[in-house]
Each structure stands twice: as structure tokens, then as C-alpha cells.
Amino acid sequence: MTQAFLSIQNVEKYFATVRAVAGVSLDIRENEFFALLGASGSGKTTLLRMLAGFEDISGGDILIEGTSIAKLPPNQRPVNLMFQSYALFPHMTVAQNIAYGLEMEKLPKNEVTARVADILKVIQLGHLAGRKPDQLSGGQRQRVALARALVKRPKVLLLDEPLGALDKKLRSEMQLELKRLQHQFGITFIMVTHDQEEALVMADRIAIMKDGALLQVGPPKEIYELPRSRFAADFIGVMNFLPVTANSGAFQARDGSPITATHVNDAVGTGAAVAAVRPERLSIGEGGENRLSGTVSAIAYHGLDLLLHITTELSDTPVIARMTADVADRHRPETGQPIALSWSARDTHIFPA
Amino acid sequence: MTQAFLSIQNVEKYFATVRAVAGVSLDIRENEFFALLGASGSGKTTLLRMLAGFEDISGGDILIEGTSIAKLPPNQRPVNLMFQSYALFPHMTVAQNIAYGLEMEKLPKNEVTARVADILKVIQLGHLAGRKPDQLSGGQRQRVALARALVKRPKVLLLDEPLGALDKKLRSEMQLELKRLQHQFGITFIMVTHDQEEALVMADRIAIMKDGALLQVGPPKEIYELPRSRFAADFIGVMNFLPVTANSGAFQARDGSPITATHVNDAVGTGAAVAAVRPERLSIGEGGENRLSGTVSAIAYHGLDLLLHITTELSDTPVIARMTADVADRHRPETGQPIALSWSARDTHIFPA
Amino acid sequence: MTEPRTYRLMLLILGVVFAFLYIPISVLVGLSFNEGGLPTAWTGFSVKWYGALAGNSDILKAAGNTLIVALFSTVLSTLLGTLLAVGVEIRRRNGKWLETIIFAPMIIPDIVLAIALLSMFSLLGVKMGLHTIVVSHVVFNLAFVCAVVRARLKSFDWSIVEASADLGASTMTTLYRIVIPVLMPAIIAGALLAFTLSVDEFIIAFFTAGAGRSSITLPMQIFAMIRFGVTPEINALATIVMSVSVVALALSQRLNKGGLPGQ
Amino acid sequence: MTEPRTYRLMLLILGVVFAFLYIPISVLVGLSFNEGGLPTAWTGFSVKWYGALAGNSDILKAAGNTLIVALFSTVLSTLLGTLLAVGVEIRRRNGKWLETIIFAPMIIPDIVLAIALLSMFSLLGVKMGLHTIVVSHVVFNLAFVCAVVRARLKSFDWSIVEASADLGASTMTTLYRIVIPVLMPAIIAGALLAFTLSVDEFIIAFFTAGAGRSSITLPMQIFAMIRFGVTPEINALATIVMSVSVVALALSQRLNKGGLPGQ
């Protein structure tokens, strides 16, 4: 087998007696856009800081192209970090900020100037080269921080919540822009984020972290459509959970009706379990193997789509069903209306209760 | 005609020589959930503060049930405001905060106690009555602020970005919760927000504000589906704009193909114009009156849906098409692939260029 | 930045510099409890020098004067300083000039302030005594109290004042039930600071006390006594003055984290 | 809170209190330019009293001494204070006790500090003079410089230090190219504050100057001269001392908005 580009081998981190990262092993490929996704306190940022060299590791090893970097100080690692706060030097201009890392490599002056000019062109901020960071907008600062890290041509670029400080509209623009730049530079990106949508849109692969450990690693589609735990299913997107009773591979909903499911978690035994289905997989009328009926208790109009909240005997919380605008045009749902939905077995997951 | 419940009549506001609100007239119905939606600087907050009495009006009048309140100080208006920062009194407990407004009405002690206990039950914070605000979570603080305003039984409750300080998950829960409380209390709610999704989900009617004036007033569905200006179309949701040439009621796209549209803005004359269509109204293959073909340049996977970015000759920016997961399962789009889309005339709007 | 060598150098500097401060202070406090009273030998723990102070009517008189001056000037400067701070904050639009006028006294050297006040009282023909020290200390303290309260006002959420009005309260009710209670820790911190400044202050009191010994304060008493060398009584007196300051300012800082001048 | 009556009351208080401060200061400055030199009559504008100062060798000597003391103690306390501030901030985990030790000198009354240093120098048998004043003023100033730099460090974004390391810089390079340039306004502000404090300081200098007139500073000179009443020369001298303070502190505040003690 060929060696991994970046190999994280059983890495641990203790702060005093508190375990922040619990034996994480992960191989990341060259040119991959990898996302570490988790809530705050999941250990994702600590892992990133260990890759950058700002936290030493309590156990395990980190290798790039087969060479351990675990003992190198931050200024000797072939890795750069884009800070969440951007961490631009306030007393330097945009050009000076970007040149700083190259000056540290003792490159000749004209090469520094040329490379700074090149990257300024790429991020389209050439006209602002003489500005100080506090004269820039949030989006511009973000691009300068990115350029300052990219200009060093690191083997791995680490990004700490790269879009966290931007507003909604700018964020969705920058999602694709970042992805484009990663392709253009051919550098491995490792991004830390708590925003599942950001991870889904940008990453080639996602690792879900919880309590310092990896819960599931895979491409976005797999993470979304084949969650391997109830936590992952709930953490990403919206998921309806219906309590069921498991009995030698067959599942019964609360009202006794059978639930058939293609994806049954290994940990499901006999007794209480939950069936899970996404709102967009529920459709009006018969058509799937599984059925439920209930009453529309609320309609949340999102323009693009409606979300129907349906009270049903199958669970205590309302079931949420997504209805696209064209379907809604045909059905014109109203609050208080009885409604029957169905969904298919291949969209159904069973997890331990 | 019966008189309006709350009538804003040609209200203006100047700060020195700067016009913040420009002759706004608006009738709001009893028990209505009304949203003032606009970007920062649109004048929405100034209008709200004039309703609360914190800014005096430079011109026009404000009437509640036919009586002008424009000259009343804030402490004499039958109106309460829920502040964006919540503005809870830090030295008072939850119960004392809620009781404060009732004590100002010089109500007997036992009535104050009873009404505080009642509303604490409604917001399900009875067990935290003795806590100080800094011992509460963001969501709890929000509910206390709401209770403190509601307990006064105002004729109108004003809400300044009521969900702005909450995190994403909590926000979507509180959207429906707030709506439920408004129904339960039967009080007119006027909410200021910059978040279009919040306005769409919660409000009975929305007013879009821009530069101190009302751009469009109507129910969410009308605002989303029948925008009356290019700005409104762009501000709410995602909209594709294609440059077209208008010629006596017929429209031609850049490549000469005809575009038919049901909704033509009155201001459209002859010459340059734009056709607008929402991403969810584009479908693969033939089926609608209008057609375009192009190449898939990027795919943004959102789990629930895909957004295809399609480069086409019809416009300089990529056209965005929404593809639901089940359609994507069938078509399996890939970057670089040629694609043909169509959409119908009734989903097409024409605006002046 | 966290390399051990840099840190050790830092510790060394810290040690040397603070040895110059804390060794003499410790010696001073120690000697005040030394039976023999001489720096040459420790002859046993005793509070006899404190007893000696209690038997010295000059010192008791000076202590009484100091208390009177400190109490009156504290009450007055706290009241006025708080009002000013709130007033200035409300009229923020009036801007820089008001702030400059209020905080200038913190910049003017004490000795210049002392001369100016002395000239003023002389010109007006005011007979000097404790009352002129009180007035002088109010002028001297005001800016400090105002600064402490203003620091708190910078993080004051004015929307609670609007909320109070919105809930039906009048301006006065809002002042008594919302503004003053929320500011109270800062007001008390300001008062404690004013008290300490007044107790410790020497030169302004010296110039505005008038002739004779009737209005002498503790720092003046120490100054007078030191002509005869540093005696055990002086050590005891200095220890007391220092203790009062340290306790008052520690309290003040506790009440008003981050709002103490210079912190 | 914004009612005109409340505001008018506030203005009145402001007026009365600050009349007590600004009238005497204005009179003092005015008299220093009064030809006749007497408070009783304005006999014309003149700088002759300033000229008289220039002809007074005692005063020139005192001014020279003051400058020497202020410059040396400023340079030393700025260097040490900055190092300490950075060191303390890095080792924040060591916590409260380090901060208490550093800032305690701001709390200890000047007169107690003066006595303690005097005892110390006597005990050690150090011959006193300008050098002992310099050492004393370093001890006195250090906490203030440290406080100003620390105030700036509180809003210092430490991620730029990590960013510098990440971009390949060594600890020393980071210190010279990132930390010190970013802190420079606060360091200069601290130095200006130290300079002013040293120029204005009376009681510590008085106690640690030793016997004789060779180490006398300007405030001591003023104190000595005032025994003969407030003369026009004193007014001129006080005006000069005050101008130096006001200019230095105004500069300091400009450089370091919000970081000046008490603001």
C-alpha cells in the first residue's frame, strides 16, 4: 500500500487530566479538501492546533509524506494555518503582511515582491496592497489571511472556521471561491468548522468529531445519506426520529404498523429502537413501503420550500416533512388538515434508542 | 371602511438633515404578525423606535384604534418593546424583572404576583424565577424579555431582531414558538428583522424597507413569488437574472431565443431588461416554455438538495438551479457535463435592467 | 515567547526590582513590632509602639483630623463625581471638551494644585483650617471618582434605561430603581478610592491647612516627626496608614473589577 | 434622564466645583505673566518672572536635577515595566499573586514608600543623592508603566504571535517585528506617564535626596520657596511644571486611547 500524504496516528491530547483528543487516527490524501466537523468542545480545534504545532501531542504521531513533524516547532513545519480571527498584523500593510512569511524564508527581495504581486492578483486585491488591515472589509481581510498562508506554498493549509466571521451572503459566495482556490493551488486543505452546511458544500471528505474522537469519516453524500450513528444523523441536517420496537429484524411503529428499513445499525438488538427519515424523503400519498398519517400542526413557509409540522401518534414531537414549492402549489396544505405520508425503506435508518 | 388597528400615516424622520424614514404609510391589523424586513440602514429600526416612543417623529402621525400616540412619551404608550439585547435588569431576578412593569401600573401586590406566576408558566421558566439574568442561557433570557413585555398586555408588541442573538438551531425552534405565543395572546406583533427567512416563516405580512421607504407590502408567499421590483426579487431568496431585450411585449435572451413571462413589471419598456427565475423552478429537460442549455461548472451539495452552477451564454454569472435529492439520484449530475433546463412562463418575471 | 530562558530573566528582574520595594516595606512593618525599636536587633514582638501612638495626643488629634477630612471629602466628591459621570455620559454629544475639563485635575501636578488653592484661599481672605482641606480634597478627588464611575458607564447597557421607560417608569423611578443600583458597585469603589486618596494626601493638605497645628493630618504629622529621624513610632504610624489604604483599595478593586484607575 | 432641569442642575454643580479648580489655576498662570507680580493689580503682560527664574542658579540646578532624575527613571522603568507586563501576560496562569505584587506600589501611600526607601538606604549605608532618587522613582513608576502596557495587552490579539511563528519567525523575530511595534504606542504612553510622575513627585524625592541642596528637584525647590509666601517666581515655576505635565500626559493619552490610568 502507498503511504498516506498526511498521517495522523493514534494522536492524543490531555490538558492536565482532561482528555481533549482521544486516540485519533486519520489518513488525509494529497490535494484533498478535508473538513473536521464538530460542536464546540469536540476537540476539532485542538487537533488542528496540534497539526500546526501550537499544542504538543500527548501521544501518537503525525507524519507528512512519511516524516514525523510531531516534534517540530510551528515555524519549521511545512504547514500553515489561517486563523479564525485572521490574525493579520495590524501595523503592516496588506503587501507587508503577505511578504512576512517569505521574508522569514530569507528569499531574495525581488522574488518576495514578485510572489506577493502574483498572489494579490489571484485574490483580486492588488489595488489594496498599501492598505492596513483595519481599512479592509471582513471579506477582504479573509482573503488577505488566505493569501498570507498560501504564498508560503505549504504542503498542508489548515483553516480554522475560515468563513465564521463573514455574513450569510458573503459566506455562501466564499464557499465556492475557497474550493476553487484549493483546486487552483493543488494544496491539501484541512478545515475545522461547526457548520455542517459549510462542510457538506466544500469538503471532499468530512470527519465528524465528538468528545475528542472520530465518529464517522466519509464523503459528504455518505455522511448525509448513510449516517452510522443516531448522533451523526441528528447532527447533520434535519432528521425525524420515530420510536419503534425491534423484534428479530422486524420493526413496529407505536401504532403497530410495520416499518421496513434498508439501513439497520449493527448495534440494534431487540426491544426499543428508533427509525429515522429525512423530511425531504417523506411524500404525500402512498408510494413508499412505510406510511404515517397525522394532522398538519404548523406550516413554515421558507419561500423555496414549505416545512410541514405533522402531529402523529408515532412520536411525541411533530414529524417534519419538506414540501417543494411545485408540490405545495398542487396540494395547498393547510393547518389542521389531516395528511397521509409515505416513504421508502431505502430512505429509512434504524438506530438504537 | 372600518378604521385600521394601528395606522402609520406618512411618518417621516430626519436626523439633522439625513432622512432615515421617508413618508411611510402602513395599516396594521389587530392580531397580525407583521415583519419589517430590510438591510441595516433601511430605516426599519428607526420606524420601530418611533412606534415605541424613543424617537420623536419629524412628520406624519401614528394612531392606535383611531387615537394618536405620536406625542405620548414611551412610558404612556400601550405598546411594549422587546429589545434586541433583551435589556434585562441585571440586578433583579427573573420574577422581579417581569414584575417591574406591573408595579409601574400600581397594581395590587397579589395581582402582580399572580400575573408573574402565570406568565412564568407560559414561558416554562417557573423553576428559574429566582435566578439573575447572568445565570440564564441566551434562549432563557430571550423568553424572559418576551414575558416581561407580554405581561403588560400591550396592544402592540414590538420586537427588535427577536432571534438575532440566538444560535442557528435554537433560532428555528423559537420561530414557531414565538408564532404560537402570538396566537395564544392575541396581541399584534411588529417585528424588525434583516433575516428574510425569519420574516417568511413567522410573519402574516411583510414590508420590505429600503432607504427609509416601503418597497413592497404583502403576505410571505406574495413577497416571494410575486416580487414587484428587481431589488425585492434579489433580496428575498436566490434569484437568477438573465439579461433580455424587450420589444413590444416580447423578450429575447442573449442567444436570440424567446423568453415568455407571465409577470412583466410595469416599468419595463423597450430595450434592455432582465428575466428572473428562481433556482427551484428550473427543471431538467423540456417541459416549460423557456429553455436554456449550458455546462455544469460547480455542484454545491447541501445534503437536502444540490445547487448546480451552470455556465451559459445567456448571462455572465452562472445560472443556479436547485435539484432535490431524489431528482439528483436519478440524474447524477457531474461537473463539466452539458445540461439543458427549462422553466415555465408563469415562473418568469421581467424587470427593468 | 515562552522559552524558559526569557522567563528566567524576567523573574530575575522582577526579583531585583521588587526587592527594592518589598524589603524596605517589610523592614518598616517589622520594626514597628520590634520591642527594642532599633533596626540593629530583634528583641521580641511587641505592640508597644502602637500603644505609644495611642498615648500621643498630637497623633490622636492628627488621626481625628484625617478621618474628618477623609469622610467629608469622600461623601461630597462621591455624590458630585457620580452625578457628573452620569451627566457627561448622557450628554456625550457635547463631546471632548467636557471630558477634558473634568479629567484635567488628574493631570495637574499636586504641588501646582496646592499652590493654586492656597493662593485662592488667601485672595478670598478665607481663614484656613479643616474646611479648606475638605474643599481642596473634593476638588482633588472628584476626577478620580468620576473616572471610576465613567469606566463602569462605558459598559453600561443604556437599553435598560429605555426598557424601564417602556415598561412605564418615570425618569426618577428609572434613576432610583435601575441606574443607581446597577452603578452602586462602581460608586462604592469610587468612594473607597477617594477615601484612600484623602487619607494619604500630603502636599495639598499641608498648603491649605493654614498656620498652627490645629488642622494637622496624619501624613503631615509623619512629615513633621521625620525630621528627628525614622523612629519606631513613625514605623507604627506608617504601617497603620498603609493598612487603611491597602484594605480600602483592595475592597474597591473587588467591587469594581477593571474599573480601578490604571488597571 | 434627559430632562432639561436635571441637566441644568448638573451644569450648576459642574460650574461651582470647577470654579474652585480653574479660577485659582488661571489666576496662578495669569499672575506669572503680570508685570507687577502682585495679585492686587494687572500692570501689564511680561515674561520677566520667567527671566528671573533663568537667572536663579538654584532653580536652574533644580531643573537640571529634575530632568536627570526623570529621564533616567523613565528609561529604566519603561524598559522594566514593559518586560514585566509582557511576562505577566504570558504567564497569566501564575495568576493573581503576581499581579498583586506588581500593582501594590500603586496602592502603597507615597509617604510610606518614601519612609521605607529612606530606611532602606540608611540601613544599607548608601550615600544619598540623585542616584537614590532615580532608584526610588523607578520603584514608584514601574507599576504605572506596567499598568499602561498591560491595559493595551488586554486587547492584544495573541493569535498574531502564533501567526508569526506559523509563518516561520523565531521568538526573537516575533518580539522585534510584531510584539514591540504593536505595543509601541502604549510603551511611549507609559514612558510619558512615568516622566510626568517623576517630574511632579515631591515626597519620595524629598526623603531620598539626602542632606544638603545638591540633589534638590523642582517640586522641592517650590516647597522651599513657598515658606516665604507665594511669589511671582513660584507662579512662573508652577506654570512651567504644569505645562510639562499637561503636554506629556495629553500626548500619552492621544497615543493610548483608553489605556491611561483611570480613563
Side-chain angles (χ1 to χ4, degrees):
Chain A
M1 213 193 108
T2 59
Q3 85 195 3
F5 179 69
L6 171 68
S7 184
I8 299 171
Q9 299 180 344
N10 206 27
V11 162
E12 291 193 315
K13 179 69 189 180
Y14 286 84
F15 291 112
T17 58
V18 180
R19 192 173 62 176
V21 174
V24 165
S25 293
L26 195 58
D27 283 349
I28 293 172
R29 294 188 278 266
E30 196 164 1
N31 299 344
E32 194 170 20
F33 198 136
F34 195 91
L36 291 168
L37 175 63
S40 60
S42 61
K44 58 187 195 306
T45 304
T46 305
L47 185 56
L48 195 80
R49 288 176 60 80
M50 289 194 287
L51 293 174
F54 295 127
E55 305 286 354
D56 34 57
I57 63 178
S58 310
D61 204 357
I62 300 170
L63 299 98
I64 291 186
E65 292 177 323
T67 312
S68 171
I69 60 161
K71 293 277 178 289
L72 294 178
N75 54 356
Q76 287 165 36
R77 295 194 184 195
V79 159
N80 284 112
L81 172 58
M82 197 188 114
F83 291 77
Q84 185 174 9
S85 66
Y86 309 145
L88 298 179
F89 306 131
H91 58 302
M92 295 185 186
T93 63
V94 166
Q96 287 166 341
N97 262 283
I98 297 173
Y100 187 81
L102 300 176
E103 288 164 9
M104 293 305 129
E105 294 178 27
K106 310 250 186 296
L107 293 182
K109 249 209 158 119
N110 54 349
E111 191 183 338
V112 171
T113 316
R115 276 172 66 177
V116 170
D118 280 353
I119 198 114
L120 277 171
K121 226 174 280 165
V122 172
I123 60 163
Q124 300 169 358
L125 287 182
H127 58 298
L128 302 179
R131 290 258 184 102
K132 293 278 179 71
D134 60 6
Q135 298 167 309
L136 302 178
S137 72
Q140 289 165 343
R141 273 202 282 269
Q142 197 255 10
R143 281 188 283 163
V144 174
L146 185 66
R148 191 177 64 175
L150 278 177
V151 80
K152 297 265 293 175
R153 295 179 192 156
K155 293 198 168 157
V156 178
L157 181 69
L158 307 172
L159 304 103
D160 189 4
E161 303 273 6
L163 307 176
L166 304 180
D167 66 32
K168 228 168 168 178
K169 276 227 158 168
L170 200 53
R171 207 180 305 166
S172 58
E173 270 172 42
M174 284 306 298
Q175 284 175 359
L176 292 170
E177 173 74 5
L178 257 186
K179 208 170 164 162
R180 195 183 59 74
L181 282 170
Q182 190 250 341
H183 269 285
Q184 185 176 338
F185 279 83
I187 289 175
T188 304
F189 276 31
I190 302 180
M191 167 176 82
V192 149
T193 181
H194 70 278
D195 183 332
Q196 37 117 347
E197 183 158 339
E198 218 160 276
L200 289 174
V201 171
M202 295 165 78
D204 297 322
R205 278 196 305 156
I206 296 172
I208 301 182
M209 283 192 79
K210 195 196 170 199
D211 299 335
L214 299 182
L215 213 62
Q216 186 171 354
V217 181
K221 201 173 159 67
E222 192 180 304
I223 293 276
Y224 185 82
E225 293 184 2
L226 299 171
R228 283 216 295 270
S229 61
R230 185 174 175 168
F231 177 86
D234 198 23
F235 188 64
I236 310 271
V238 179
M239 183 68 96
N240 293 299
F241 292 101
L242 305 173
V244 295
T245 314
N247 195 343
S248 47
F251 308 100
Q252 266 194 333
R254 269 201 194 161
D255 65 350
S257 61
I259 301 275
T260 58
T262 310
H263 314 288
V264 180
N265 193 277
D266 293 341
V268 172
T270 297
V274 283
V277 60
R278 299 234 179 245
E280 69 270 24
R281 298 297 184 173
L282 293 166
S283 43
I284 290 181
E286 324 255 307
E289 292 87 338
N290 300 313
R291 281 174 196 89
L292 67 79
S293 57
T295 315
V296 177
S297 60
I299 301 176
Y301 180 79
H302 290 256
L304 190 69
D305 300 310
L306 297 181
L307 289 184
L308 302 183
H309 291 239
I310 298 154
T311 41
T312 149
E313 286 176 5
L314 303 193
S315 76
D316 300 329
T317 50
V319 167
I320 299 174
R322 193 267 294 265
M323 201 180 241
T324 56
D326 49 339
V327 176
D329 286 351
R330 269 178 277 131
H331 287 274
R332 309 196 165 276
E334 272 176 51
T335 313
Q337 217 175 32
I339 193 166
L341 300 173
S342 73
W343 71 99
S344 56
R346 69 182 153 79
D347 296 326
T348 312
H349 308 259
I350 308 283
F351 299 108
Chain B
M1 214 192 107
T2 59
Q3 86 195 3
F5 179 68
L6 170 69
S7 184
I8 298 170
Q9 300 181 342
N10 205 27
V11 161
E12 290 194 315
K13 179 70 189 179
Y14 286 84
F15 291 111
T17 58
V18 180
R19 192 174 62 176
V21 173
V24 165
S25 293
L26 194 57
D27 283 349
I28 293 172
R29 294 187 278 266
E30 196 163 1
N31 300 343
E32 194 171 20
F33 198 136
F34 195 91
L36 291 167
L37 175 63
S40 61
S42 61
K44 58 187 194 307
T45 303
T46 305
L47 184 56
L48 195 81
R49 288 176 60 81
M50 289 194 288
L51 292 174
F54 295 127
E55 305 286 354
D56 34 57
I57 62 178
S58 309
D61 204 355
I62 299 170
L63 299 98
I64 290 186
E65 291 177 323
T67 312
S68 171
I69 61 161
K71 293 276 179 288
L72 293 178
N75 54 356
Q76 286 164 38
R77 294 194 185 196
V79 158
N80 284 112
L81 173 58
M82 196 187 113
F83 290 77
Q84 185 174 10
S85 67
Y86 307 145
L88 298 178
F89 306 130
H91 58 303
M92 296 185 186
T93 63
V94 167
Q96 286 166 342
N97 261 283
I98 298 173
Y100 187 82
L102 299 176
E103 288 164 9
M104 294 304 129
E105 294 178 26
K106 309 251 186 296
L107 293 182
K109 248 207 159 121
N110 54 349
E111 192 185 337
V112 171
T113 316
R115 275 172 66 177
V116 170
D118 281 354
I119 198 116
L120 276 171
K121 225 175 282 166
V122 172
I123 61 163
Q124 300 168 356
L125 287 181
H127 58 297
L128 300 179
R131 291 258 184 101
K132 293 278 180 71
D134 60 5
Q135 299 168 308
L136 302 178
S137 72
Q140 289 165 342
R141 273 202 280 269
Q142 198 254 9
R143 281 188 283 164
V144 174
L146 186 65
R148 190 178 64 176
L150 278 177
V151 79
K152 297 263 294 175
R153 296 180 192 153
K155 293 198 167 155
V156 179
L157 181 70
L158 308 172
L159 303 103
D160 189 4
E161 303 272 6
L163 307 177
L166 303 180
D167 66 31
K168 228 168 167 177
K169 276 227 159 167
L170 199 53
R171 207 179 305 166
S172 58
E173 269 172 43
M174 284 306 299
Q175 283 174 0
L176 291 170
E177 173 75 5
L178 256 186
K179 206 169 165 162
R180 197 183 59 73
L181 283 169
Q182 189 251 342
H183 269 287
Q184 185 174 339
F185 279 83
I187 288 174
T188 304
F189 276 31
I190 303 179
M191 168 177 83
V192 149
T193 181
H194 70 277
D195 183 331
Q196 37 118 345
E197 181 156 343
E198 218 159 276
L200 289 174
V201 171
M202 296 165 79
D204 297 322
R205 278 197 304 156
I206 296 171
I208 302 182
M209 282 193 78
K210 195 197 169 199
D211 300 334
L214 299 182
L215 214 61
Q216 186 170 353
V217 182
K221 202 172 157 68
E222 192 181 305
I223 293 275
Y224 185 82
E225 295 184 2
L226 299 171
R228 282 216 296 270
S229 61
R230 183 173 175 168
F231 178 85
D234 198 24
F235 188 64
I236 311 270
V238 179
M239 184 67 96
N240 293 300
F241 291 101
L242 306 172
V244 295
T245 314
N247 196 344
S248 46
F251 308 99
Q252 264 194 335
R254 267 201 193 160
D255 65 350
S257 61
I259 302 275
T260 59
T262 310
H263 314 286
V264 180
N265 192 277
D266 292 340
V268 172
T270 297
V274 283
V277 60
R278 299 235 180 244
E280 69 270 22
R281 298 297 184 173
L282 293 166
S283 43
I284 290 181
E286 324 256 305
E289 294 87 340
N290 299 314
R291 281 173 197 90
L292 66 80
S293 57
T295 313
V296 177
S297 59
I299 301 177
Y301 181 78
H302 290 256
L304 191 69
D305 301 311
L306 297 180
L307 289 184
L308 302 182
H309 290 238
I310 298 155
T311 41
T312 149
E313 286 175 6
L314 302 192
S315 75
D316 300 329
T317 50
V319 167
I320 299 174
R322 193 269 294 264
M323 200 181 242
T324 55
D326 50 337
V327 176
D329 286 351
R330 269 178 276 131
H331 288 275
R332 309 195 164 275
E334 273 176 52
T335 313
Q337 218 175 33
I339 193 166
L341 300 172
S342 74
W343 71 99
S344 56
R346 68 183 153 78
D347 296 326
T348 312
H349 307 260
I350 307 285
F351 297 108
Chain C
M1 301 299 298
T2 53
E3 274 147 41
R5 198 180 302 170
T6 322
Y7 184 54
R8 246 180 269 139
L9 181 70
M10 220 90 82
L11 271 187
L12 188 73
I13 293 169
L14 187 83
V16 170
V17 173
F18 285 100
F20 265 91
L21 179 68
Y22 287 104
I23 293 177
I25 297 262
S26 315
V27 169
L28 183 148
V29 173
L31 288 181
S32 77
F33 290 108
N34 189 1
E35 169 93 56
L38 292 172
T40 41
W42 177 259
T43 54
F45 179 88
S46 160
V47 293
K48 77 180 223 202
W49 303 112
Y50 291 88
L53 293 184
N56 184 330
S57 65
D58 278 357
I59 287 174
L60 289 182
K61 174 79 178 153
N65 284 344
T66 298
L67 265 184
I68 291 169
V69 168
L71 285 176
F72 277 94
S73 69
T74 297
V75 169
L76 284 171
S77 58
T78 303
L79 261 173
L80 297 174
T82 302
L83 269 177
L84 272 178
V86 173
V88 171
E89 187 68 24
I90 289 175
R91 296 279 151 169
R92 247 174 307 189
R93 290 163 209 161
N94 287 1
K96 256 345 220 188
W97 70 266
L98 207 59
E99 273 193 58
T100 308
I101 282 184
I102 289 174
F103 294 115
M106 292 171 72
I107 294 179
I108 292 168
D110 295 355
I111 197 163
V112 175
L113 198 55
I115 296 168
L117 287 162
L118 168 61
S119 313
M120 173 84 162
F121 291 130
S122 308
L123 266 176
L124 294 179
V126 177
K127 198 181 165 326
M128 287 188 269
L130 287 184
H131 54 286
T132 45
I133 307 184
V134 169
V135 169
S136 304
H137 276 191
V138 169
V139 170
F140 168 67
N141 281 338
L142 193 63
F144 291 92
V145 174
C146 194
V148 171
V149 177
R150 281 223 64 187
R152 172 71 190 80
L153 280 173
K154 284 207 174 148
S155 61
F156 187 80
D157 176 13
W158 284 95
S159 69
I160 65 174
V161 171
E162 288 190 343
S164 175
D166 185 68
L167 292 167
S170 67
T171 302
M172 275 300 138
T173 307
T174 301
L175 193 64
Y176 292 133
R177 291 207 47 188
I178 307 294
V179 179
I180 289 178
V182 170
L183 290 182
M184 195 45 86
I187 295 173
I188 294 175
L192 286 166
L193 176 63
F195 186 81
T196 318
L197 288 172
S198 184
V199 167
D200 298 345
E201 204 286 319
F202 165 70
I203 202 137
I204 296 174
F206 187 88
F207 280 27
T208 57
R213 297 194 38 83
S214 64
S215 304
I216 204 167
T217 64
L218 274 184
M220 286 159 72
Q221 176 68 25
I222 294 176
F223 187 79
M225 285 163 71
I226 212 147
R227 295 174 192 220
F228 314 107
V230 182
T231 62
E233 284 97 341
I234 291 182
N235 288 336
L237 204 49
T239 303
I240 291 172
V241 170
M242 185 171 65
S243 307
V244 170
S245 298
V246 169
V247 169
L249 282 177
L251 265 178
S252 161
Q253 187 170 17
R254 262 217 119 129
L255 281 166
N256 197 35
K257 275 172 198 153
L260 225 178
Q263 305 239 351
Chain D
M1 300 299 299
T2 51
E3 274 148 41
R5 199 181 301 172
T6 322
Y7 184 55
R8 246 180 270 140
L9 181 71
M10 219 91 84
L11 271 187
L12 189 71
I13 294 168
L14 186 83
V16 170
V17 173
F18 284 99
F20 265 92
L21 177 69
Y22 287 104
I23 292 177
I25 297 262
S26 315
V27 169
L28 183 147
V29 174
L31 288 182
S32 77
F33 291 108
N34 189 1
E35 169 93 58
L38 292 173
T40 41
W42 178 258
T43 54
F45 179 89
S46 159
V47 293
K48 78 180 218 202
W49 303 111
Y50 291 87
L53 294 182
N56 184 329
S57 65
D58 278 357
I59 288 174
L60 290 181
K61 173 78 177 155
N65 284 343
T66 299
L67 265 185
I68 290 169
V69 168
L71 285 176
F72 278 95
S73 69
T74 296
V75 169
L76 284 172
S77 58
T78 302
L79 261 172
L80 296 174
T82 303
L83 268 178
L84 272 178
V86 172
V88 170
E89 186 69 23
I90 289 175
R91 297 277 151 169
R92 247 175 307 190
R93 289 162 210 161
N94 287 0
K96 254 351 218 183
W97 70 266
L98 206 60
E99 271 193 60
T100 308
I101 282 184
I102 289 174
F103 295 114
M106 291 171 73
I107 295 179
I108 293 167
D110 296 355
I111 196 162
V112 175
L113 198 55
I115 296 168
L117 288 163
L118 169 61
S119 313
M120 173 84 163
F121 291 130
S122 307
L123 265 176
L124 294 179
V126 177
K127 195 179 169 325
M128 286 189 269
L130 287 184
H131 54 287
T132 44
I133 307 183
V134 168
V135 169
S136 304
H137 276 192
V138 169
V139 170
F140 168 68
N141 280 338
L142 192 63
F144 290 92
V145 174
C146 195
V148 171
V149 177
R150 279 223 67 187
R152 174 68 190 80
L153 280 172
K154 283 207 175 146
S155 62
F156 186 80
D157 175 14
W158 284 93
S159 69
I160 65 174
V161 172
E162 289 190 341
S164 175
D166 187 67
L167 293 167
S170 67
T171 302
M172 275 299 138
T173 308
T174 301
L175 193 63
Y176 293 134
R177 291 206 48 186
I178 306 296
V179 179
I180 290 179
V182 170
L183 290 182
M184 195 43 86
I187 294 173
I188 295 176
L192 286 167
L193 177 63
F195 185 82
T196 319
L197 288 172
S198 184
V199 167
D200 297 347
E201 203 287 319
F202 164 72
I203 201 136
I204 295 174
F206 187 88
F207 280 28
T208 57
R213 298 195 37 85
S214 64
S215 304
I216 204 168
T217 64
L218 274 184
M220 286 159 73
Q221 175 69 23
I222 295 176
F223 187 80
M225 285 163 71
I226 212 148
R227 294 175 192 217
F228 314 106
V230 181
T231 61
E233 284 97 342
I234 291 182
N235 288 337
L237 205 48
T239 302
I240 290 172
V241 170
M242 185 172 65
S243 306
V244 170
S245 298
V246 168
V247 169
L249 283 177
L251 265 177
S252 163
Q253 187 170 18
R254 262 217 119 129
L255 280 166
N256 198 36
K257 275 173 198 152
L260 224 178
Q263 304 240 353

